[in-house]
RNA sequence: UGGGGAUUCGUCUAGUGGUAGGACAGCAGACUCUGGAUCUGUAUGCCGAGGUUCGAAUCCUCGAUCCCCAGCCA
């Protein structure tokens, strides 16, 4: 990315890491991506992943990909593969792929050490009893009646829990810390619970599984992770992670927190995206209206743009909502530089050039990418009847409208100047069904010999050469800036988030587009071929529109003749 | 009401005792065979009140507001 060399916003993590290196606390840097394989990645994850990746890379360190698979009831191999694929697509490379479950055996030994030190105990209370005894935000909790069980008894019970002798939920192993601690996380947190679900990697080996709070920090320590970078919600867990490692006397990772990414008009949580998928509000986890990585990919967003976006919003501890327009601006910038230009008419109306020879066909050279001379040129065919956008014609033009209307002359891009001579309307609806014009043969791909100028250039596709296509236009899924998906999702959905256009007319070369190929349809926006298309029958997704000052002008009310 | 985190243009974000800067969004204009891109100009901000200081977004005091925590989720 051209902008990557600019000064970065939010460097406090890099500063902290540099401090640790200078002070000698660590001699190297190692970070980790800690996904739970229970769903697909979204753009919110990318911020965390970029920070982990960049922090390691900037310090000549390495990045581990560690799947947090401590809850077999929710996790599946399918998601492991999907996360790896998405991560590769992003261009993030990991040095090692590990799993929390790789350490189940060693973690159990560490737990036994804590039991032997009298710092953990088996609790026979039911989940309800544990909850009731936890106290509240303002009142201390009560000690479990099993809290002072002798070490030998705890050891025996823990062993029997592991061997599957007790039903789910009947017992837990808890750290013995302080039931009156003002930080609720420290009130004898559960370390192991009994779970009978088969694990996607360890099968039926285990009957007890570690809680995240018991597993995560220990895994970091075992892997020699120097910096555990995570979101703000884990600030209150840090004292617990440090307590475990202090009691164990093991390698101590430094945890640094930052705020998670929120983007307006979209929603990040896996749980809530699942609701949208299950309710059929979107067509799947890869619906182009979603900000999942698969959705963004299908929509036509390049991974480089996603990374540039999360880089550019910086890293702080502030709660924040980044405006979707910032993301769109980054997407446009990326696509503008690399997309091939093509002509595509989305809402076609026929333009008949009355003085053009009936069966004549000409070819014009068109520039593939004005931002990149090496992209070259192509030929586009021209004939007597072409399609133009309905929006490029008005029978009676509003103020400042420079396109086609009776008596006005415009340029057909790369072709001739044409002057509108009249429109044909459907008598029933009053809609313009055909437009007539005459062309000036002396203006072929150049200025008029008499030096006259036109104020507008419009795109077109030759009718007899046109390729028919379906085009899907997307807008924001939600009408509110900060959507919260609950039972009333319907009330905040944008009814126009998807508009499917059939019978769009594209220049013939687009027939060869393969799924994922991206183009700028001139004057319309950026489009990406969808896997639903077939050879000769393409389907395109609109990734993002071009900036459209005319649309803005018209929408503001100043372009429609109103004062 | 316990503990913890946070607060700089509309939105993100720099600034760490010496002219509050950038990006996006907005507005105005230039240029243009994409009303795109590009370029120029412009308005808007330090949560509040005291204090320290020649000088405070920055240091101190008091207050306000928002967010997180009462899963055998991560």
């Amino acid at each position: 990315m051209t902008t990557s060399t600019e000064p970065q916003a939010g460097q406090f993590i890099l500063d902290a890491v540099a401090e640790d290196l200078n002070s000698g606390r660590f001699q190297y840097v190692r970070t980790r991506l800690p996904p739970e394989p229970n769903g697909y990645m979204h753009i919110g994850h990318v911020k965390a992943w970029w920070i982990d990746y960049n922090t390691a890379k900037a310090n000549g360190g390495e990045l581990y990909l560690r799947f947090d698979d401590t809850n077999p009831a929710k996790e599946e191999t399918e998601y492991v593969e999907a996360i790896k694929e998405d991560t590769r697509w992003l261009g993030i490379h990991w040095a090692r792929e590990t799993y929390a479950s790789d350490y189940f055996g060693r973690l159990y030994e560490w737990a036994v050490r804590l039991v032997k030190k009298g710092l953990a105990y088996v609790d026979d209370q039911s989940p309800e009893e544990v909850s009731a005894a936890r106290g509240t935000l303002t009142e201390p909790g009560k000690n479990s009646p099993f809290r002072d069980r002798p070490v030998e008894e705890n050891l025996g019970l823990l062993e029997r829990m592991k061997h599957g002798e007790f039903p789910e939920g009947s017992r837990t192993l808890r750290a013995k810390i302080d039931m009156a601690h003002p930080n609720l996380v420290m009130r004898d947190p559960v370390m192991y619970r009994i779970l009978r679900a088969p694990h996607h990697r360890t099968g039926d080996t285990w009957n007890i599984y570690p809680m995240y709070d018991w597993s995560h920090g220990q895994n970091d320590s075992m892997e020699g992770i120097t910096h555990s970078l995570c979101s703000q919600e884990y600030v209150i867990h840090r004292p617990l992670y440090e307590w475990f490692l202090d009691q164990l006397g093991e390698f101590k990772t430094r945890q640094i927190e930052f705020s998670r990414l929120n983007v307006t008009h979209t929603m990040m949580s896996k749980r809530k995206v699942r609701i949208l998928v299950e309710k059929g509000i979107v067509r799947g986890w890869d619906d182009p209206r979603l900000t999942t990585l698969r959705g963004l990919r299908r929509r036509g967003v390049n991974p480089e743009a996603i990374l540039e976006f999360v880089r550019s919003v910086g890293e702080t501890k502030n709660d924040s909502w980044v405006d979707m327009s910032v993301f769109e601006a980054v997407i446009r910038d990326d696509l503008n530089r690399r997309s091939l230009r093509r002509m595509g008419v989305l809402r076609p109306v026929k333009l008949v050039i009355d003085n053009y020879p009936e069966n004549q066909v000409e070819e014009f050279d068109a520039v593939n990418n004005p931002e990149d001379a090496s992209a070259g040129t192509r030929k586009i065919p021209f004939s007597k009847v072409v399609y133009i956008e309905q929006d490029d014609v008005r029978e009676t033009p509003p103020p400042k409208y420079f396109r086609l209307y009776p008596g006005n002359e415009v340029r057909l891009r790369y072709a001739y100047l044409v002057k509108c001579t009249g429109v044909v309307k459907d008598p029933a609806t009053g809609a313009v069904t055909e437009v007539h014009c005459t062309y000036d043969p002396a203006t072929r791909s150049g200025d008029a010999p008499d030096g006259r100028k036109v104020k507008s250039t419009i795109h077109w596709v030759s009718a007899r050469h046109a390729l028919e296509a379906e085009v899907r236009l997307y807008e924001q899924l939600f009408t509110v800036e900060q959507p919260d998906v609950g039972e009333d999702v319907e009330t905040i959905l944008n009814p126009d988030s998807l508009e499917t256009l059939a019978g769009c007319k594209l220049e013939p070369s687009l027939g060869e587009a393969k799924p994922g190929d991206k183009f700028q349809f001139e004057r319309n926006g950026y489009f990406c071929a969808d896997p639903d298309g077939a050879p000769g029958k393409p389907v395109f997704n609109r990734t993002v529109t071009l900036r459209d000052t005319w649309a803005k002008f018209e929408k503001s009310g100043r372009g429609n003749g109103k004062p």
Side-chain angles (χ1 to χ4, degrees):
Chain A
M1 308 297 299
T2 53
T3 47
S4 295
T5 52
E6 289 172 6
Q8 293 186 358
Q11 296 232 40
F12 76 97
I13 293 174
L14 289 175
D15 291 346
V17 171
E19 229 174 72
D20 290 341
L21 257 13
N22 291 334
S23 72
R25 173 168 175 178
F26 300 116
Q27 280 74 46
Y28 64 95
V29 172
R30 183 136 73 217
T31 61
R32 97 278 88 114
L33 311 178
E36 181 188 17
N38 70 342
Y40 296 92
M41 287 178 59
H42 53 71
I43 193 169
H45 293 111
V46 178
K47 175 178 177 180
W49 292 40
W50 184 84
I51 289 173
D52 279 312
Y53 182 56
N54 185 250
T55 302
K57 212 172 92 176
N59 289 285
E62 53 186 6
L63 171 73
Y64 285 6
L65 172 61
R66 186 177 68 231
F67 288 96
D68 250 318
D69 53 352
T70 56
N71 188 347
K74 290 165 61 179
E75 296 145 7
E76 293 170 31
T77 304
E78 175 201 340
Y79 293 123
V80 170
E81 294 309 317
I83 290 167
K84 283 161 65 176
E85 190 193 315
D86 286 351
T87 310
R88 268 187 225 108
W89 177 71
L90 267 181
I92 287 182
H93 311 288
W94 57 91
R96 275 184 66 198
E97 172 188 333
T98 66
Y99 294 79
S101 53
D102 294 343
Y103 308 105
F104 280 174
R106 199 161 157 210
L107 190 62
Y108 182 82
E109 289 167 20
W110 285 19
V112 168
R113 275 164 59 189
L114 289 181
V115 172
K116 286 181 175 164
K117 289 181 77 174
L119 295 171
Y121 62 97
V122 172
D123 191 353
D124 297 359
Q125 291 184 109
S126 70
E128 295 73 28
E129 289 168 326
V130 169
S131 176
R134 185 158 11 240
T136 68
L137 296 178
T138 51
E139 303 159 49
K142 289 198 248 325
N143 284 354
S144 164
F146 307 96
R147 198 171 195 262
D148 293 315
R149 203 120 68 171
V151 168
E152 286 313 312
E153 191 183 335
N154 282 322
L155 253 16
L157 253 13
L158 178 59
E159 188 70 11
R160 291 174 62 197
M161 282 167 62
K162 179 183 158 195
H163 287 317
E165 294 183 26
F166 305 118
E168 271 191 24
S170 60
R171 283 180 168 82
T172 56
L173 182 73
R174 293 231 258 165
K176 192 193 280 191
I177 305 179
D178 179 2
M179 285 307 291
H181 199 108
N183 178 351
L184 270 56
V185 170
M186 300 296 274
R187 318 241 259 229
D188 289 12
V190 172
M191 295 166 65
Y192 280 105
R193 77 283 218 193
I194 298 170
L195 242 35
R196 283 305 167 57
H199 188 277
H200 74 117
R201 301 194 92 223
T202 61
D204 297 324
T205 309
W206 292 87
N207 297 293
I208 57 173
Y209 291 91
M211 297 289 289
Y212 175 88
D213 272 353
W214 166 235
S215 174
H216 194 82
Q218 278 45 255
N219 293 165
D220 280 343
S221 177
M222 290 170 186
E223 292 188 335
I225 301 298
T226 56
H227 298 274
S228 183
L229 311 175
C230 63
S231 51
Q232 282 280 84
E233 62 212 271
Y234 292 103
V235 170
I236 55 167
H237 295 252
R238 192 174 60 223
L240 174 59
Y241 302 160
E242 292 181 346
W243 185 89
F244 279 136
L245 263 6
D246 283 338
Q247 303 308 322
L248 257 5
E250 296 287 347
F251 175 86
K252 210 152 140 197
T253 300
R254 190 219 304 198
Q255 172 172 305
I256 302 172
E257 309 86 4
F258 53 86
S259 63
R260 48 174 300 170
L261 174 66
N262 291 299
V263 180
T264 64
H265 301 285
T266 185
M267 210 238 338
M268 305 282 183
S269 110
K270 287 184 206 167
R271 202 192 93 244
K272 292 172 181 176
V273 171
R274 182 168 281 117
I275 292 172
L276 298 177
V277 173
E278 283 168 0
K279 282 194 161 191
I281 289 165
V282 295
R283 54 186 289 169
W285 288 86
D286 66 345
D287 190 296
R289 289 168 292 181
L290 256 20
T291 43
T292 54
L293 290 192
R294 279 146 122 87
L296 292 171
R297 176 170 12 175
R298 189 163 184 178
R299 175 91 169 232
V301 179
N302 283 310
E304 292 83 356
I306 298 174
L307 289 173
E308 170 59 16
F309 170 63
V310 300
R311 188 200 68 76
S312 68
V313 299
E315 35 188 273
T316 65
K317 291 174 184 283
N318 306 344
D319 290 344
S320 65
W321 282 83
V322 179
D323 201 284
M324 183 64 93
S325 69
V326 177
F327 188 28
E328 288 180 349
V330 174
I331 295 170
R332 278 194 196 99
D333 183 55
D334 171 71
L335 257 13
N336 176 48
R337 279 184 280 106
R338 58 209 286 188
S339 299
L340 297 179
R341 271 58 172 176
R342 291 293 182 265
M343 303 244 254
V345 176
L346 268 28
R347 294 180 166 90
V349 60
K350 273 185 182 169
L351 175 71
V352 181
I353 305 160
D354 291 318
N355 61 337
Y356 194 84
E358 196 67 40
N359 290 310
Q360 181 171 313
V361 173
E362 290 181 84
E363 282 195 326
F364 298 111
D365 289 311
V367 174
N368 281 328
N369 184 354
E371 306 291 321
D372 176 11
S374 71
T377 62
R378 67 189 186 284
K379 300 278 189 196
I380 43 177
F382 181 78
S383 61
K384 184 181 177 74
V385 181
V386 301
Y387 289 107
I388 61 173
E389 297 286 349
Q390 291 167 16
D391 205 39
D392 285 341
V393 180
R394 300 286 169 92
E395 189 186 14
T396 48
K400 302 246 180 117
Y401 185 86
F402 308 134
R403 281 114 96 156
L404 231 37
Y405 54 86
N408 196 41
E409 187 172 48
V410 303
R411 174 172 294 283
L412 292 181
R413 175 133 237 233
Y414 298 122
Y416 300 100
L417 295 186
V418 295
K419 185 177 228 171
C420 182
T421 53
V423 301
V424 179
K425 294 195 293 182
D426 182 323
T429 65
V432 173
T433 55
E434 198 172 286
V435 185
H436 285 265
C437 69
T438 56
Y439 84 115
D440 179 350
T443 58
R444 180 184 164 134
S445 293
D447 290 326
D450 61 7
R452 70 183 190 275
K453 296 283 184 192
V454 294
K455 296 196 95 167
S456 182
T457 296
I458 65 175
H459 61 279
W460 51 271
V461 171
S462 167
R464 59 198 279 188
H465 303 95
L467 173 72
E468 289 252 343
E470 174 180 320
V471 175
R472 299 170 182 166
L473 307 181
Y474 301 101
E475 285 178 17
Q476 285 150 353
L477 227 202
F478 300 101
T479 53
V480 295
E481 282 203 348
Q482 304 180 8
D484 185 19
V485 173
E487 281 313 300
D488 57 344
V489 212
E490 281 78 6
T491 64
I492 55 168
L493 287 176
N494 175 6
D496 304 318
S497 64
L498 167 63
E499 183 180 5
T500 303
L501 263 25
C504 302
K505 310 292 184 182
L506 309 182
E507 76 171 72
S509 68
L510 253 8
E512 292 151 28
K514 294 182 295 295
D517 285 355
K518 300 168 181 68
F519 304 92
Q520 182 197 97
F521 292 179
E522 291 205 23
R523 302 208 306 133
N524 268 317
Y526 297 97
F527 294 80
C528 180
D530 189 272
D532 284 351
K537 288 202 56 151
V539 173
F540 280 93
N541 296 311
R542 184 176 68 195
T543 310
V544 65
T545 62
L546 252 26
R547 270 184 71 232
D548 190 343
T549 51
W550 166 253
K552 204 189 305 175
F553 177 75
E554 210 176 21
K555 201 177 170 189
S556 73
R558 285 169 294 175
N560 60 8
K562 291 177 193 159

